[in-house]
């Protein structure tokens, strides 16, 4: 009897062992369980090794990237997971591989290598969602995507044993090519040589003078980049602040178009002030000041102020200008524009902005008059403020006070953390919950937690590709700058700039009046 019992246990053990047969992971040099994971976008059901499971949040597509619950993918792969609450970062350990990434941060460390994601981890319905392909392939899994059914299959491959451990630890696994229809979590590495492309000539930017002797007829005052490979450049005519041009440059086609050259009738609106007096506002009296793009909303906004403000008239207006023109909010009275003012929206319906000269923060709802909400004391004559939205919360960077604040309901500012940038900052660009602060020779990346690191410096640039870059062919037209040799010169400082969707710096060169791109990552 005892013999039969032992025999039965041995048979069952053998079946279980073969059902979950371990696979030798030649790359990591360890033994891991083979997995087969199947899931579909927007479907809460998933299968792991033939077993049906229900996800806390279904997979979603964000900017053409498939995101899945972090806990699910970690448990399915039997990876160790650590959450660092203060840093809002995650560490995933699997075999000999370690991944560290942070919420809303495109920078990620895989083993000892820093890489960049097109779509960072985000929080959806209190669930941390991570890029599926990036996580799976970084942990040596195969990923197959069917664009028709929007289904994903993750499997553990059997690796050839002849690849050496040294080759694997020094060379990251390359992600497989996916359908043109849906591309998930593209991974980018910092370029070994950072070079500059000339994207436009001075005439493309509206400059029609000899820049050796004459005063510029135009001046760039603001820039923004969207997630459709388009860069927006707001310019004012030197002779009048009310005369402007909003251009858009397409990085894929190389075409430059004029989006607006005046405040036409589509910018006019009717309004009712706090005393219930009705009025009609003629936008022809406005001067544009700043454009800003919201990635999640996929909208471009414009802040402008009246050149003839009064105690009873409209003084400042915020518009949505792409994909359509729509007045969002406005102020009545003597609000004064200052180049250091911030403006932000958490949802495209509520807007917050500052009036530095009157030490006030305003809040306004879509279509309604904005109200002065909270006083704020600014330090120094060269105060510069900027604002970003992260996880639904708004944060303000005050360069004069060298600090980050959280902008709370009621427009109160709560101190978050100090920053450490010694040089004078000339321009701040806000994108995807990150501040990019530019000095003369360096751009700094500042998180909402106050963490500061160099993003790109003039010293990091290897050189300039000669000629005008032609993106359709990937070649350069060296005749575009004939008799204008200075156009080949290196930029002396960072001017107005934007960070495009690839993480590269598209900047206005103030010396040669060109649009240039610093290729930190492969374009």
């Amino acid at each position: 009897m005892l013999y039969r019992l032992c025999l039965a246990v041995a048979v069952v053990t053998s079946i279980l062992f073969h059902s979950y047969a371990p696979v030798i992971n030649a790359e990591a040099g360890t033994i891991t369980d083979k997995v087969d994971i199947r899931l579909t976008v927007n479907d809460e059901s998933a299968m792991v090794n033939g077993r049906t499971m229900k996800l806390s949040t279904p997979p979603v597509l964000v900017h053409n990237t498939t995101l899945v619950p972090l806990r699910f993918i970690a448990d399915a792969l039997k990876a160790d997971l650590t959450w660092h609450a203060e840093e809002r970062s995650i560490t995933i350990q699997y075999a000999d591989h370690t991944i560290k990434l942070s919420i809303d941060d495109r920078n990620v460390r895989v083993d000892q290598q820093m890489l960049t994601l097109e779509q960072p981890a985000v929080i959806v319905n209190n669930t941390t969602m991570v890029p599926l392909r990036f996580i799976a392939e970084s942990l040596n899994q195969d990923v197959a995507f069917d664009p028709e059914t929007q289904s994903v299959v993750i499997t553990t491959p059997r690796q050839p044993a002849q690849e050496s451990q040294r080759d694997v630890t020094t060379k990251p696994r390359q992600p497989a090519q996916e359908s043109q229809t849906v591309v998930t979590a593209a991974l980018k590495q910092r370029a070994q040589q950072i070079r500059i492309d000339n994207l436009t000539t001075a005439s493309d930017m509206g400059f029609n003078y000899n820049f050796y002797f004459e005063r510029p007829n135009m001046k760039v005052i603001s820039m923004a980049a969207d997630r459709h490979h388009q860069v927006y450049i707001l310019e004012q005519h030197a002779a009048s602040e009310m005369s402007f041009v909003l251009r858009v440059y397409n990085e894929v086609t190389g075409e430059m178009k004029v989006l607006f050259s005046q405040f036409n009738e589509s910018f006019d609106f009717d309004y009712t002030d706090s005393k219930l007096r009705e009025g009609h506002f003629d936008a022809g009296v406005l001067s544009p000041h700043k454009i800003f793009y919201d990635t999640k909303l996929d909208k471009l906004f414009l802040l402008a102020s009246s050149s003839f403000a009064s105690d009873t008239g409209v003084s400042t207006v915020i518009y949505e200008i792409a994909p359509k023109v729509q007045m969002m909010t406005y102020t009545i009275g003597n609000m004064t524009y200052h180049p250091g003012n911030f403006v932000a929206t958490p949802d495209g319906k509520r807007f917050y902005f500052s009036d530095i000269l009157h030490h006030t923060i305003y809040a306004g709802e879509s279509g309604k008059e904005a109200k002065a909400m909270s006083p704020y004391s600014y330090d120094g004559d060269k105060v510069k403020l900027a604002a970003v939205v992260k996880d639904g919360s708004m944060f303000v960077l005050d360069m004069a006070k060298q600090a980050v604040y959280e902008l709370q309901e009621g427009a109160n500012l709560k101190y978050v953390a100090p920053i450490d940038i010694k040089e004078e900052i000339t321009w701040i660009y806000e994108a995807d919950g990150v501040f990019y602060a530019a000095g003369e020779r360096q751009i700094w990346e500042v998180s909402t937690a106050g963490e500061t690191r160099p993003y790109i410096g003039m010293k990091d640039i290897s050189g300039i590709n000669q000629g005008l870059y032609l993106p359709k062919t990937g070649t350069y037209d060296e005749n575009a700058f004939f008799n204008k040799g200075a156009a080949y010169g290196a930029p002396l400082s960072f001017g107005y700039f934007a960070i495009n969707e690839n993480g590269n710096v598209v900047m206005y060169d103030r010396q040669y009046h060109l649009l240039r791109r610093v290729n930190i990552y492969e374009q």
Side-chain angles (χ1 to χ4, degrees):
M1 181 68 180
L2 181 60
Y3 169 77
R4 291 179 179 177
L5 179 61
C6 291
L7 180 61
V9 170
V11 171
V12 171
T13 302
S14 176
I15 293 174
L16 290 174
F17 178 79
H18 287 88
S19 298
Y20 298 93
V23 176
I24 302 297
N25 185 342
E27 286 192 347
T30 60
I31 298 179
T32 60
D33 289 332
K34 183 175 182 179
V35 297
D36 184 293
I37 305 170
R38 298 172 184 268
L39 40 80
T40 304
V41 173
N42 297 325
D43 190 341
E44 292 183 348
S45 298
M47 294 189 69
V48 179
N49 296 336
R51 180 183 176 186
T52 302
M53 302 181 66
K54 186 175 181 179
L55 303 176
S56 59
T57 300
V60 294
L61 278 177
V62 178
H63 300 163
N64 290 333
T65 297
T66 304
L67 301 182
V68 297
L70 170 63
R71 175 60 65 180
F72 163 74
I73 193 67
D75 289 347
L77 295 174
K78 297 184 179 179
D80 292 329
L81 184 65
T82 304
W83 167 254
H84 310 283
E86 292 185 0
E87 301 177 0
R88 294 171 57 81
S89 65
I90 307 118
T91 300
I92 305 169
Q93 290 183 309
Y94 176 83
D96 288 346
H97 296 294
T98 301
I99 302 173
K100 186 172 182 180
L101 68 164
S102 300
I103 303 298
D104 292 326
D105 191 341
R106 292 183 302 167
N107 296 306
V108 58
R109 180 181 292 276
V110 179
D111 299 328
Q112 300 302 316
Q113 197 164 28
M114 288 300 298
L115 303 171
T116 302
L117 289 169
E118 283 191 356
Q119 171 59 45
V122 297
I123 295 179
V124 178
N125 297 328
N126 295 321
T127 300
T128 301
M129 307 287 283
V130 295
L132 171 61
R133 178 178 289 279
F134 165 70
I135 297 295
E137 291 191 336
S138 295
L139 300 180
N140 194 38
Q141 307 298 308
D142 281 341
V143 180
F145 183 83
D146 186 340
E148 294 186 3
T149 61
Q150 292 199 322
S151 59
V152 187
V153 178
I154 303 102
T155 54
T156 304
R158 291 185 178 274
Q159 299 293 337
Q162 66 267 24
E163 187 171 22
S164 70
Q165 175 69 20
R166 181 179 181 275
D167 291 338
V168 172
T169 56
T170 57
K171 181 179 66 177
R173 173 187 170 91
Q174 296 298 318
Q177 293 295 319
E178 211 172 46
S179 164
Q180 292 289 333
T181 306
V182 180
V183 182
T184 59
L187 199 59
K188 290 183 171 61
Q189 259 182 293
R190 196 176 177 93
Q192 292 184 351
Q193 283 195 339
I194 298 174
R195 299 186 64 83
I196 292 177
D197 282 335
N198 296 312
L199 302 181
T200 68
T201 64
S203 60
D204 292 332
M205 296 284 288
F207 293 90
N208 55 12
Y209 74 108
N210 185 328
F211 54 76
Y212 287 111
F213 305 105
E214 300 178 20
R215 179 187 177 192
N217 62 309
M218 304 290 293
K219 59 179 179 179
V220 173
I221 59 173
S222 186
M223 289 180 61
D226 67 15
R227 55 184 170 90
H228 306 292
H229 308 287
Q230 297 190 120
V231 180
Y232 300 88
I233 307 103
L234 179 61
E235 302 177 35
Q236 281 182 335
H237 289 276
S240 171
E241 290 187 353
M242 296 171 59
S243 181
F244 74 98
V245 177
L246 178 59
R247 305 180 194 275
V248 55
Y249 173 81
N250 189 306
E251 291 189 83
V252 175
T253 65
E255 296 176 340
M256 176 78 85
K257 295 181 179 180
V258 173
L259 195 61
F260 295 104
S261 59
Q262 62 178 341
F263 286 111
N264 55 36
E265 293 181 355
S266 65
F267 290 88
D268 297 350
F269 60 91
D270 296 323
Y271 66 94
T272 302
D273 65 17
S274 58
K275 295 183 179 180
L276 303 181
R277 293 175 299 195
E278 296 182 350
H280 177 79
F281 181 70
D282 183 349
V285 300
L286 288 175
S287 297
H289 297 296
K290 180 175 181 176
I291 52 176
F292 61 102
Y293 174 75
D294 189 292
T295 303
K296 292 183 179 179
L297 299 173
D298 193 20
K299 293 181 178 181
L300 183 71
F301 298 95
L302 167 72
L303 182 145
S305 65
S306 173
S307 301
F308 305 98
S310 65
D311 292 340
T312 58
V314 172
S315 55
T316 298
V317 188
I318 296 176
Y319 291 97
E320 173 193 335
I321 56 173
K324 62 181 180 180
V325 175
Q326 181 180 358
M327 185 274 291
M328 305 311 299
T329 188
Y330 59 93
T331 61
I332 299 289
N334 287 315
M335 178 187 166
T336 307
Y337 175 75
H338 185 284
N341 281 337
F342 76 80
V343 57
T345 176
D347 51 17
K349 299 177 181 179
R350 295 170 295 155
F351 292 82
Y352 296 81
F353 49 101
S354 61
D355 181 355
I356 287 177
L357 297 181
H358 292 94
H359 302 275
T360 305
I361 295 176
Y362 283 82
E365 295 182 5
S366 181
K368 298 181 181 180
E369 178 186 352
K371 304 294 183 182
M373 299 294 293
S374 175
Y376 181 62
S377 176
Y378 306 105
D379 292 344
D381 296 330
K382 297 183 179 181
V383 60
K384 287 182 177 62
L385 304 176
V388 297
V389 178
K390 184 174 181 181
D391 299 337
S393 298
M394 290 176 292
F395 296 86
V396 173
L397 173 64
D398 187 331
M399 287 307 306
K401 293 184 177 180
Q402 289 275 296
V404 175
Y405 298 84
E406 182 179 356
L407 182 60
Q408 300 178 316
E409 292 293 334
N412 294 310
L413 290 176
K414 177 184 177 182
Y415 177 82
V416 174
I419 64 170
D420 185 20
I421 299 179
K422 303 301 184 185
E423 67 176 313
E424 181 180 350
I425 296 302
T426 57
W427 172 248
I428 305 173
Y429 185 73
E430 309 107 316
D432 299 328
V434 178
F435 302 100
Y436 297 91
E440 287 293 312
R441 309 287 295 173
Q442 178 77 51
I443 295 178
W444 304 85
E445 183 178 4
V446 182
S447 74
T448 55
E451 298 172 341
T452 304
R453 71 178 184 89
Y455 190 71
I456 181 68
M458 288 295 174
K459 61 180 176 55
D460 302 321
I461 298 172
S462 301
I464 300 176
N465 296 319
Q466 291 192 351
L468 179 68
Y469 179 65
L470 306 176
K472 288 184 178 180
T473 59
T475 58
Y476 298 86
D477 179 6
E478 295 191 15
N479 294 322
F481 300 109
F482 183 70
N483 288 334
K484 295 181 181 179
Y488 296 122
L492 301 179
S493 63
F494 289 105
Y496 287 101
F497 70 95
I499 306 295
N500 71 10
E501 60 181 324
N502 294 313
N504 293 322
V505 177
V506 182
M507 59 174 284
Y508 163 63
D509 188 316
R510 293 176 294 183
Q511 183 178 10
Y512 304 116
H513 308 294
L514 309 174
L515 193 66
R516 287 175 152 172
R517 184 176 61 221
V518 184
N519 297 305
I520 307 171
Y521 303 98
E522 291 186 8
Q523 185 69 18

